[in-house]
Amino acid sequence: MLGALGLNTDEESVYRRLVGRTAASAADLADTTQLPEAAIRAALSQLMADGLVKRTPDGEFSAAPPAVALGALISERRDGLHTAELALVTLAEEHRVAMAGRSISELIEVVTGVDGIRHRFAQVQHAARTQVRNFVTAPFVAVPPGTNTLETVMMDRGVEYRVVLERAALAEPGMIAETAASLRKGVQVRVVESLPIKLVLADAELGLVPLTVESGGEPGAVLLHRSGLLSAMDALFEIVWRHAHPLDVSALVGLTDGDATAVDANGPTELDRKILALLLAGLTDHVVANQLDVSLRTLQRRLRHLMDLAGVKTRMELGWYAAHHNWA
């Protein structure tokens, strides 16, 4: 726990032992911590240098009050992080200026192999200060659904995520659950019929564009630094985002939760809402039936029932009715 303040495991062990005692000798500490006496003395030396331990007149050691000693270390770390943040701003601007004069070969980096793409995908997310934007298409090669653990970490740091899904991607195994989990965390998700490329953008500084390969070929990607090409990718994302269909958060989150047979006497059942949510997202009847683990006949029977409830004759009319009466 105290490793965040710069203490190693030996130093933390010794300090914790001293906190619960008025004083102790190095030999006593060696007995209670099971550490070699040489390690105890090295830890004590560093702890005294940090102001966490002091020596008593009779040659033993005692812990400085944690509220004072650790509080001072925490303040130093906080000040150091603030200084590092200021340095980051300066360095980022210096890097931006330097990049302006770089050659094309320096602005575009080719990445090959699944491990290389996965590593760069993580780096691009880590580089984001305000937002990560993502085009998601099938098939998934380097980062399958459920494996991007950085999404939660970066969102906890205040980074916004906006994702555009190709409709076919929602039919991939695990993708509904992955999308529902992302929506729960606050990721903004929209859907389009098709996307021209896969894409990940970190602010306006970095972009990763996976490349399509022939069957059996080695996957690759292009890492883009700030450049005219990256600006074009930025503009492409925003154009597609504006015309994409927003996924209904409450409806899609419900796709992986709850009892699919729950009944609402005055409207659609929970299963009906799930069916409508996926159909409005553009999935076919077969895909929806597979995702919800129901038969095609059951799905179509529920749709006919919904059309009767809504008093409409076509699916298009049903979609309009569902959208305006909070059915999905």
Side-chain angles (χ1 to χ4, degrees):
M1 185 177 67
L2 300 181
L5 298 178
L7 275 66
N8 63 32
T9 54
D10 289 353
E11 292 161 4
E12 179 172 351
S13 179
V14 170
Y15 182 70
R16 283 179 175 275
R17 293 292 178 181
L18 287 174
V19 165
R21 309 173 64 166
T22 55
S25 66
D28 290 338
L29 291 168
D31 289 338
T32 57
T33 61
Q34 304 299 311
L35 292 172
E37 191 165 339
I40 294 292
R41 294 192 179 281
L44 287 169
S45 177
Q46 186 59 51
L47 289 168
M48 287 191 291
D50 291 337
L52 297 177
V53 168
K54 58 184 179 180
R55 196 154 197 168
T56 65
D58 57 2
E60 293 190 326
F61 301 90
S62 64
V68 176
L70 294 180
L73 275 182
I74 290 172
S75 295
E76 289 177 7
R77 291 278 168 167
R78 188 180 294 119
D79 291 343
L81 286 173
H82 180 63
T83 301
E85 287 178 345
L86 293 176
L88 173 60
V89 173
T90 301
L91 291 171
E93 179 59 20
E94 291 178 3
H95 181 258
R96 185 192 67 78
V97 173
M99 293 291 284
R102 292 171 69 177
S103 66
I104 292 178
S105 62
E106 294 173 303
L107 294 172
I108 300 175
E109 176 187 342
V110 177
V111 183
T112 57
V114 170
D115 289 340
I117 295 172
R118 189 178 294 129
H119 179 65
R120 288 302 194 191
F121 179 62
Q123 284 187 324
V124 169
Q125 292 179 89
H126 270 302
R129 305 287 291 175
T130 59
Q131 67 172 332
V132 172
R133 292 167 292 171
N134 199 356
F135 281 167
V136 177
T137 68
F140 302 103
V141 178
V143 188
T147 61
N148 183 22
T149 56
L150 271 178
E151 183 178 85
T152 300
V153 174
M154 298 306 295
M155 291 190 73
D156 287 343
R157 296 179 186 175
V159 175
E160 176 188 71
Y161 272 69
R162 287 192 286 150
V163 178
V164 178
L165 296 174
E166 188 174 71
R167 292 192 195 280
L170 280 172
E172 292 292 312
M175 198 57 195
I176 291 294
E178 167 80 354
T179 305
S182 293
L183 287 167
R184 287 191 187 95
K185 291 181 288 189
V187 176
Q188 300 177 58
V189 183
R190 296 188 178 186
V191 180
V192 294
E193 187 62 34
S194 62
L195 288 168
I197 55 173
K198 295 178 185 286
L199 175 66
V200 185
L201 296 171
D203 303 327
E205 302 298 325
L206 281 176
L208 186 67
V209 183
L211 304 174
T212 57
V213 295
E214 295 181 0
S215 178
E218 185 177 42
V222 175
L223 182 68
L224 305 175
H225 295 271
R226 182 190 283 263
S227 62
L229 184 54
L230 184 61
S231 298
M233 296 296 101
D234 183 297
L236 173 63
F237 181 92
E238 294 303 329
I239 291 171
V240 172
W241 178 262
R242 284 197 296 272
H243 293 88
H245 171 72
L247 282 183
D248 185 278
V249 176
S250 59
L252 191 55
V253 167
L255 290 171
T256 56
D257 299 324
D259 180 5
T261 64
V263 175
D264 182 347
N266 298 315
T269 66
E270 185 64 26
L271 175 60
D272 294 335
R273 293 180 182 276
K274 295 175 181 181
I275 291 171
L276 287 169
L278 290 181
L279 289 176
L280 288 173
L283 275 67
T284 66
D285 287 6
H286 287 280
V287 171
V288 173
N290 288 335
Q291 291 287 349
L292 297 180
D293 194 25
V294 298
S295 70
L296 187 60
R297 180 176 297 178
T298 296
L299 183 143
Q300 292 172 342
R301 185 177 67 249
R302 296 311 305 166
L303 285 174
R304 284 194 297 272
H305 174 66
L306 290 172
M307 291 167 68
D308 290 341
L309 281 178
V312 299
K313 296 186 178 298
T314 68
R315 288 195 181 190
M316 182 176 295
E317 292 174 317
L318 176 61
W320 182 92
Y321 187 94
H324 287 79
H325 290 80
N326 297 318
W327 279 13

PDB file of all heavy atoms in Angstrom, residues 27-55:
ATOM      1  N   ALA A  27      17.493  -6.020  15.878  1.00  0.00           N
ATOM      2  CA  ALA A  27      17.384  -7.461  16.107  1.00  0.00           C
ATOM      3  C   ALA A  27      15.927  -7.867  16.352  1.00  0.00           C
ATOM      4  O   ALA A  27      15.453  -8.890  15.842  1.00  0.00           O
ATOM      5  CB  ALA A  27      18.255  -7.871  17.297  1.00  0.00           C
ATOM      6  N   ASP A  28      15.206  -7.035  17.156  1.00  0.00           N
ATOM      7  CA  ASP A  28      13.788  -7.324  17.403  1.00  0.00           C
ATOM      8  C   ASP A  28      12.995  -7.312  16.094  1.00  0.00           C
ATOM      9  O   ASP A  28      12.134  -8.164  15.857  1.00  0.00           O
ATOM     10  CB  ASP A  28      13.203  -6.291  18.362  1.00  0.00           C
ATOM     11  CG  ASP A  28      13.756  -6.442  19.772  1.00  0.00           C
ATOM     12  OD1 ASP A  28      14.225  -7.545  20.097  1.00  0.00           O
ATOM     13  OD2 ASP A  28      13.730  -5.446  20.519  1.00  0.00           O
ATOM     14  N   LEU A  29      13.289  -6.342  15.245  1.00  0.00           N
ATOM     15  CA  LEU A  29      12.583  -6.219  13.981  1.00  0.00           C
ATOM     16  C   LEU A  29      12.884  -7.398  13.066  1.00  0.00           C
ATOM     17  O   LEU A  29      12.017  -7.862  12.326  1.00  0.00           O
ATOM     18  CB  LEU A  29      12.954  -4.908  13.291  1.00  0.00           C
ATOM     19  CG  LEU A  29      12.428  -3.638  13.974  1.00  0.00           C
ATOM     20  CD1 LEU A  29      13.089  -2.410  13.387  1.00  0.00           C
ATOM     21  CD2 LEU A  29      10.908  -3.558  13.813  1.00  0.00           C
ATOM     22  N   ALA A  30      14.114  -7.880  13.111  1.00  0.00           N
ATOM     23  CA  ALA A  30      14.480  -9.043  12.300  1.00  0.00           C
ATOM     24  C   ALA A  30      13.689 -10.267  12.736  1.00  0.00           C
ATOM     25  O   ALA A  30      13.253 -11.083  11.911  1.00  0.00           O
ATOM     26  CB  ALA A  30      15.982  -9.315  12.410  1.00  0.00           C
ATOM     27  N   ASP A  31      13.449 -10.386  14.050  1.00  0.00           N
ATOM     28  CA  ASP A  31      12.693 -11.533  14.564  1.00  0.00           C
ATOM     29  C   ASP A  31      11.220 -11.459  14.152  1.00  0.00           C
ATOM     30  O   ASP A  31      10.613 -12.473  13.797  1.00  0.00           O
ATOM     31  CB  ASP A  31      12.794 -11.582  16.097  1.00  0.00           C
ATOM     32  CG  ASP A  31      14.191 -11.976  16.566  1.00  0.00           C
ATOM     33  OD1 ASP A  31      14.922 -12.598  15.758  1.00  0.00           O
ATOM     34  OD2 ASP A  31      14.541 -11.648  17.718  1.00  0.00           O
ATOM     35  N   THR A  32      10.633 -10.264  14.210  1.00  0.00           N
ATOM     36  CA  THR A  32       9.195 -10.139  13.956  1.00  0.00           C
ATOM     37  C   THR A  32       8.844 -10.053  12.475  1.00  0.00           C
ATOM     38  O   THR A  32       7.738 -10.407  12.075  1.00  0.00           O
ATOM     39  CB  THR A  32       8.632  -8.896  14.676  1.00  0.00           C
ATOM     40  OG1 THR A  32       9.348  -7.738  14.241  1.00  0.00           O
ATOM     41  CG2 THR A  32       8.769  -9.038  16.176  1.00  0.00           C
ATOM     42  N   THR A  33       9.774  -9.597  11.656  1.00  0.00           N
ATOM     43  CA  THR A  33       9.485  -9.466  10.224  1.00  0.00           C
ATOM     44  C   THR A  33      10.020 -10.625   9.402  1.00  0.00           C
ATOM     45  O   THR A  33       9.704 -10.750   8.217  1.00  0.00           O
ATOM     46  CB  THR A  33      10.091  -8.166   9.659  1.00  0.00           C
ATOM     47  OG1 THR A  33      11.525  -8.202   9.834  1.00  0.00           O
ATOM     48  CG2 THR A  33       9.519  -6.939  10.360  1.00  0.00           C
ATOM     49  N   GLN A  34      10.870 -11.464  10.018  1.00  0.00           N
ATOM     50  CA  GLN A  34      11.493 -12.587   9.317  1.00  0.00           C
ATOM     51  C   GLN A  34      12.411 -12.123   8.190  1.00  0.00           C
ATOM     52  O   GLN A  34      12.668 -12.861   7.241  1.00  0.00           O
ATOM     53  CB  GLN A  34      10.426 -13.542   8.749  1.00  0.00           C
ATOM     54  CG  GLN A  34       9.444 -14.074   9.785  1.00  0.00           C
ATOM     55  CD  GLN A  34      10.136 -14.876  10.876  1.00  0.00           C
ATOM     56  OE1 GLN A  34      10.942 -15.757  10.605  1.00  0.00           O
ATOM     57  NE2 GLN A  34       9.841 -14.568  12.134  1.00  0.00           N
ATOM     58  N   LEU A  35      12.912 -10.887   8.296  1.00  0.00           N
ATOM     59  CA  LEU A  35      13.857 -10.371   7.305  1.00  0.00           C
ATOM     60  C   LEU A  35      15.273 -10.481   7.841  1.00  0.00           C
ATOM     61  O   LEU A  35      15.497 -10.395   9.053  1.00  0.00           O
ATOM     62  CB  LEU A  35      13.551  -8.902   6.994  1.00  0.00           C
ATOM     63  CG  LEU A  35      12.237  -8.597   6.262  1.00  0.00           C
ATOM     64  CD1 LEU A  35      11.998  -7.087   6.211  1.00  0.00           C
ATOM     65  CD2 LEU A  35      12.278  -9.164   4.850  1.00  0.00           C
ATOM     66  N   PRO A  36      16.264 -10.650   6.953  1.00  0.00           N
ATOM     67  CA  PRO A  36      17.659 -10.652   7.403  1.00  0.00           C
ATOM     68  C   PRO A  36      17.999  -9.316   8.065  1.00  0.00           C
ATOM     69  O   PRO A  36      17.465  -8.264   7.692  1.00  0.00           O
ATOM     70  CB  PRO A  36      18.459 -10.850   6.107  1.00  0.00           C
ATOM     71  CG  PRO A  36      17.485 -11.424   5.139  1.00  0.00           C
ATOM     72  CD  PRO A  36      16.148 -10.863   5.503  1.00  0.00           C
ATOM     73  N   GLU A  37      18.896  -9.357   9.030  1.00  0.00           N
ATOM     74  CA  GLU A  37      19.227  -8.115   9.749  1.00  0.00           C
ATOM     75  C   GLU A  37      19.834  -7.074   8.821  1.00  0.00           C
ATOM     76  O   GLU A  37      19.623  -5.869   8.992  1.00  0.00           O
ATOM     77  CB  GLU A  37      20.187  -8.413  10.903  1.00  0.00           C
ATOM     78  CG  GLU A  37      20.359  -7.225  11.838  1.00  0.00           C
ATOM     79  CD  GLU A  37      20.998  -7.602  13.170  1.00  0.00           C
ATOM     80  OE1 GLU A  37      20.953  -8.789  13.554  1.00  0.00           O
ATOM     81  OE2 GLU A  37      21.527  -6.684  13.828  1.00  0.00           O
ATOM     82  N   ALA A  38      20.566  -7.527   7.789  1.00  0.00           N
ATOM     83  CA  ALA A  38      21.145  -6.576   6.832  1.00  0.00           C
ATOM     84  C   ALA A  38      20.034  -5.827   6.099  1.00  0.00           C
ATOM     85  O   ALA A  38      20.125  -4.616   5.861  1.00  0.00           O
ATOM     86  CB  ALA A  38      22.039  -7.311   5.840  1.00  0.00           C
ATOM     87  N   ALA A  39      18.954  -6.557   5.731  1.00  0.00           N
ATOM     88  CA  ALA A  39      17.824  -5.914   5.066  1.00  0.00           C
ATOM     89  C   ALA A  39      17.112  -4.947   6.004  1.00  0.00           C
ATOM     90  O   ALA A  39      16.640  -3.877   5.592  1.00  0.00           O
ATOM     91  CB  ALA A  39      16.848  -6.977   4.556  1.00  0.00           C
ATOM     92  N   ILE A  40      17.022  -5.332   7.291  1.00  0.00           N
ATOM     93  CA  ILE A  40      16.400  -4.455   8.292  1.00  0.00           C
ATOM     94  C   ILE A  40      17.170  -3.148   8.405  1.00  0.00           C
ATOM     95  O   ILE A  40      16.586  -2.051   8.402  1.00  0.00           O
ATOM     96  CB  ILE A  40      16.358  -5.157   9.662  1.00  0.00           C
ATOM     97  CG1 ILE A  40      15.422  -6.364   9.623  1.00  0.00           C
ATOM     98  CG2 ILE A  40      15.939  -4.186  10.753  1.00  0.00           C
ATOM     99  CD1 ILE A  40      13.962  -6.017   9.469  1.00  0.00           C
ATOM    100  N   ARG A  41      18.501  -3.249   8.484  1.00  0.00           N
ATOM    101  CA  ARG A  41      19.313  -2.040   8.645  1.00  0.00           C
ATOM    102  C   ARG A  41      19.242  -1.154   7.395  1.00  0.00           C
ATOM    103  O   ARG A  41      19.209   0.081   7.499  1.00  0.00           O
ATOM    104  CB  ARG A  41      20.759  -2.412   8.960  1.00  0.00           C
ATOM    105  CG  ARG A  41      20.902  -3.091  10.319  1.00  0.00           C
ATOM    106  CD  ARG A  41      22.346  -3.202  10.776  1.00  0.00           C
ATOM    107  NE  ARG A  41      22.439  -3.830  12.088  1.00  0.00           N
ATOM    108  CZ  ARG A  41      22.210  -3.202  13.235  1.00  0.00           C
ATOM    109  NH1 ARG A  41      21.887  -1.914  13.224  1.00  0.00           N
ATOM    110  NH2 ARG A  41      22.316  -3.856  14.377  1.00  0.00           N
ATOM    111  N   ALA A  42      19.215  -1.761   6.217  1.00  0.00           N
ATOM    112  CA  ALA A  42      19.089  -0.975   4.984  1.00  0.00           C
ATOM    113  C   ALA A  42      17.738  -0.258   4.954  1.00  0.00           C
ATOM    114  O   ALA A  42      17.643   0.920   4.571  1.00  0.00           O
ATOM    115  CB  ALA A  42      19.235  -1.886   3.770  1.00  0.00           C
ATOM    116  N   ALA A  43      16.677  -0.971   5.372  1.00  0.00           N
ATOM    117  CA  ALA A  43      15.350  -0.362   5.395  1.00  0.00           C
ATOM    118  C   ALA A  43      15.292   0.777   6.412  1.00  0.00           C
ATOM    119  O   ALA A  43      14.743   1.853   6.139  1.00  0.00           O
ATOM    120  CB  ALA A  43      14.294  -1.417   5.722  1.00  0.00           C
ATOM    121  N   LEU A  44      15.877   0.559   7.597  1.00  0.00           N
ATOM    122  CA  LEU A  44      15.880   1.602   8.632  1.00  0.00           C
ATOM    123  C   LEU A  44      16.634   2.838   8.172  1.00  0.00           C
ATOM    124  O   LEU A  44      16.219   3.976   8.429  1.00  0.00           O
ATOM    125  CB  LEU A  44      16.491   1.053   9.921  1.00  0.00           C
ATOM    126  CG  LEU A  44      15.626   0.063  10.704  1.00  0.00           C
ATOM    127  CD1 LEU A  44      16.449  -0.612  11.792  1.00  0.00           C
ATOM    128  CD2 LEU A  44      14.422   0.781  11.314  1.00  0.00           C
ATOM    129  N   SER A  45      17.747   2.613   7.481  1.00  0.00           N
ATOM    130  CA  SER A  45      18.540   3.742   6.985  1.00  0.00           C
ATOM    131  C   SER A  45      17.728   4.619   6.033  1.00  0.00           C
ATOM    132  O   SER A  45      17.731   5.843   6.127  1.00  0.00           O
ATOM    133  CB  SER A  45      19.799   3.213   6.288  1.00  0.00           C
ATOM    134  OG  SER A  45      20.549   4.285   5.727  1.00  0.00           O
ATOM    135  N   GLN A  46      16.991   3.965   5.115  1.00  0.00           N
ATOM    136  CA  GLN A  46      16.189   4.722   4.161  1.00  0.00           C
ATOM    137  C   GLN A  46      14.990   5.390   4.847  1.00  0.00           C
ATOM    138  O   GLN A  46      14.633   6.523   4.531  1.00  0.00           O
ATOM    139  CB  GLN A  46      15.708   3.795   3.048  1.00  0.00           C
ATOM    140  CG  GLN A  46      14.975   4.513   1.921  1.00  0.00           C
ATOM    141  CD  GLN A  46      15.829   5.575   1.247  1.00  0.00           C
ATOM    142  OE1 GLN A  46      16.963   5.310   0.851  1.00  0.00           O
ATOM    143  NE2 GLN A  46      15.302   6.795   1.146  1.00  0.00           N
ATOM    144  N   LEU A  47      14.373   4.682   5.775  1.00  0.00           N
ATOM    145  CA  LEU A  47      13.222   5.240   6.494  1.00  0.00           C
ATOM    146  C   LEU A  47      13.624   6.467   7.314  1.00  0.00           C
ATOM    147  O   LEU A  47      12.854   7.445   7.397  1.00  0.00           O
ATOM    148  CB  LEU A  47      12.596   4.183   7.401  1.00  0.00           C
ATOM    149  CG  LEU A  47      11.851   3.048   6.685  1.00  0.00           C
ATOM    150  CD1 LEU A  47      11.520   1.912   7.648  1.00  0.00           C
ATOM    151  CD2 LEU A  47      10.567   3.567   6.038  1.00  0.00           C
ATOM    152  N   MET A  48      14.815   6.442   7.898  1.00  0.00           N
ATOM    153  CA  MET A  48      15.284   7.619   8.642  1.00  0.00           C
ATOM    154  C   MET A  48      15.577   8.768   7.685  1.00  0.00           C
ATOM    155  O   MET A  48      15.284   9.937   7.979  1.00  0.00           O
ATOM    156  CB  MET A  48      16.531   7.254   9.464  1.00  0.00           C
ATOM    157  CG  MET A  48      16.218   6.389  10.678  1.00  0.00           C
ATOM    158  SD  MET A  48      17.614   6.213  11.849  1.00  0.00           S
ATOM    159  CE  MET A  48      18.714   5.209  10.848  1.00  0.00           C
ATOM    160  N   ALA A  49      16.120   8.435   6.517  1.00  0.00           N
ATOM    161  CA  ALA A  49      16.396   9.493   5.529  1.00  0.00           C
ATOM    162  C   ALA A  49      15.099  10.138   5.053  1.00  0.00           C
ATOM    163  O   ALA A  49      15.060  11.336   4.748  1.00  0.00           O
ATOM    164  CB  ALA A  49      17.162   8.898   4.349  1.00  0.00           C
ATOM    165  N   ASP A  50      14.013   9.340   5.006  1.00  0.00           N
ATOM    166  CA  ASP A  50      12.717   9.865   4.573  1.00  0.00           C
ATOM    167  C   ASP A  50      11.951  10.537   5.699  1.00  0.00           C
ATOM    168  O   ASP A  50      10.854  11.075   5.478  1.00  0.00           O
ATOM    169  CB  ASP A  50      11.855   8.730   4.005  1.00  0.00           C
ATOM    170  CG  ASP A  50      12.392   8.196   2.676  1.00  0.00           C
ATOM    171  OD1 ASP A  50      13.129   8.943   1.998  1.00  0.00           O
ATOM    172  OD2 ASP A  50      12.067   7.046   2.333  1.00  0.00           O
ATOM    173  N   GLY A  51      12.486  10.481   6.906  1.00  0.00           N
ATOM    174  CA  GLY A  51      11.812  11.112   8.034  1.00  0.00           C
ATOM    175  C   GLY A  51      10.696  10.279   8.621  1.00  0.00           C
ATOM    176  O   GLY A  51       9.883  10.790   9.398  1.00  0.00           O
ATOM    177  N   LEU A  52      10.627   8.987   8.274  1.00  0.00           N
ATOM    178  CA  LEU A  52       9.572   8.125   8.782  1.00  0.00           C
ATOM    179  C   LEU A  52       9.961   7.418  10.085  1.00  0.00           C
ATOM    180  O   LEU A  52       9.094   6.941  10.814  1.00  0.00           O
ATOM    181  CB  LEU A  52       9.202   7.073   7.736  1.00  0.00           C
ATOM    182  CG  LEU A  52       8.619   7.597   6.420  1.00  0.00           C
ATOM    183  CD1 LEU A  52       8.358   6.450   5.459  1.00  0.00           C
ATOM    184  CD2 LEU A  52       7.335   8.357   6.675  1.00  0.00           C
ATOM    185  N   VAL A  53      11.259   7.327  10.353  1.00  0.00           N
ATOM    186  CA  VAL A  53      11.759   6.649  11.544  1.00  0.00           C
ATOM    187  C   VAL A  53      12.841   7.514  12.188  1.00  0.00           C
ATOM    188  O   VAL A  53      13.605   8.193  11.494  1.00  0.00           O
ATOM    189  CB  VAL A  53      12.333   5.246  11.183  1.00  0.00           C
ATOM    190  CG1 VAL A  53      13.120   4.653  12.343  1.00  0.00           C
ATOM    191  CG2 VAL A  53      11.215   4.306  10.767  1.00  0.00           C
ATOM    192  N   LYS A  54      12.883   7.495  13.530  1.00  0.00           N
ATOM    193  CA  LYS A  54      13.948   8.206  14.243  1.00  0.00           C
ATOM    194  C   LYS A  54      14.583   7.253  15.258  1.00  0.00           C
ATOM    195  O   LYS A  54      13.994   6.242  15.653  1.00  0.00           O
ATOM    196  CB  LYS A  54      13.388   9.431  14.950  1.00  0.00           C
ATOM    197  CG  LYS A  54      12.283   9.134  15.938  1.00  0.00           C
ATOM    198  CD  LYS A  54      11.711  10.417  16.513  1.00  0.00           C
ATOM    199  CE  LYS A  54      10.558  10.095  17.496  1.00  0.00           C
ATOM    200  NZ  LYS A  54       9.976  11.334  18.071  1.00  0.00           N
ATOM    201  N   ARG A  55      15.783   7.615  15.658  1.00  0.00           N
ATOM    202  CA  ARG A  55      16.505   6.761  16.608  1.00  0.00           C
ATOM    203  C   ARG A  55      16.322   7.314  18.005  1.00  0.00           C
ATOM    204  O   ARG A  55      16.399   8.530  18.228  1.00  0.00           O
ATOM    205  CB  ARG A  55      17.984   6.698  16.245  1.00  0.00           C
ATOM    206  CG  ARG A  55      18.741   5.564  16.900  1.00  0.00           C
ATOM    207  CD  ARG A  55      19.938   5.148  16.104  1.00  0.00           C
ATOM    208  NE  ARG A  55      20.425   3.840  16.491  1.00  0.00           N
ATOM    209  CZ  ARG A  55      21.304   3.157  15.816  1.00  0.00           C
ATOM    210  NH1 ARG A  55      21.784   3.648  14.678  1.00  0.00           N
ATOM    211  NH2 ARG A  55      21.711   1.979  16.226  1.00  0.00           N
TER     212      ARG A  55
END
